[in-house]
Amino acid sequence: MTREDAKRKPLAEVSEDEFLEDLIAFLQANGGEKLAPPGCDANTFPTRTLNGAKLDLFGLYRAVVSRGGFPSSKGGVNGGGGGDKREKLNWTRDVFPCLSNYTENHRATSVGHDLITHY
């Protein structure tokens, strides 16, 4: 565990604004200025929309984490190998309904691809 990890609250205790501010700081510290330009904040980030509303990155992260993490092409969760036997995430059926962007009559035909790309 790193010093940064030790300062973080458990995900269940983190607000959406805290999550987004932490994500912005992480992206900016790791060369992601294109994704999180200087001056952006939780009110303006992300600029990407999905189903007509600002992409719910906090909901996306919680939905993926609650299902065991992002499956990697290297096998296992997060590329850890070990022959992960669980089913792959169905981003449209399992993840999208957990987001504030979801509506039952949505017309977002590429939602699975969009969620994978932005995760």
Side-chain angles (χ1 to χ4, degrees):
M1 178 182 286
T2 67
R3 187 177 302 146
E4 280 297 310
D5 292 334
K7 291 191 270 184
R8 290 196 175 112
K9 294 189 271 186
L11 185 57
E13 297 175 17
V14 174
S15 72
E16 181 174 8
D17 284 349
E18 289 172 316
F19 172 81
L20 290 174
E21 292 294 342
D22 190 44
L23 178 58
I24 291 166
F26 172 81
L27 290 170
Q28 291 174 343
N30 291 284
E33 288 86 8
K34 186 174 180 183
L35 295 172
C40 71
D41 60 22
N43 293 319
T44 60
F45 178 81
T47 57
R48 177 69 168 100
T49 61
L50 180 66
N51 200 26
K54 184 172 96 166
L55 178 60
D56 180 10
L57 285 177
F58 187 45
L60 175 59
Y61 183 75
R62 288 183 305 177
V64 172
V65 167
S66 72
R67 287 163 177 76
F70 186 81
S72 170
S73 61
K74 295 179 184 175
V77 176
N78 297 324
D84 184 13
K85 302 291 187 222
R86 66 190 179 93
E87 292 182 34
K88 291 183 179 183
L89 288 175
N90 183 314
W91 294 83
T92 304
R93 186 185 65 228
D94 300 332
V95 177
F96 185 44
C98 299
L99 309 186
S100 63
N101 299 86
Y102 177 77
T103 57
E104 286 191 29
N105 60 349
H106 73 87
R107 299 281 186 243
T109 57
S110 63
V111 71
H113 176 265
D114 291 345
L115 292 176
I116 290 168
T117 300
H118 289 86
Y119 189 82

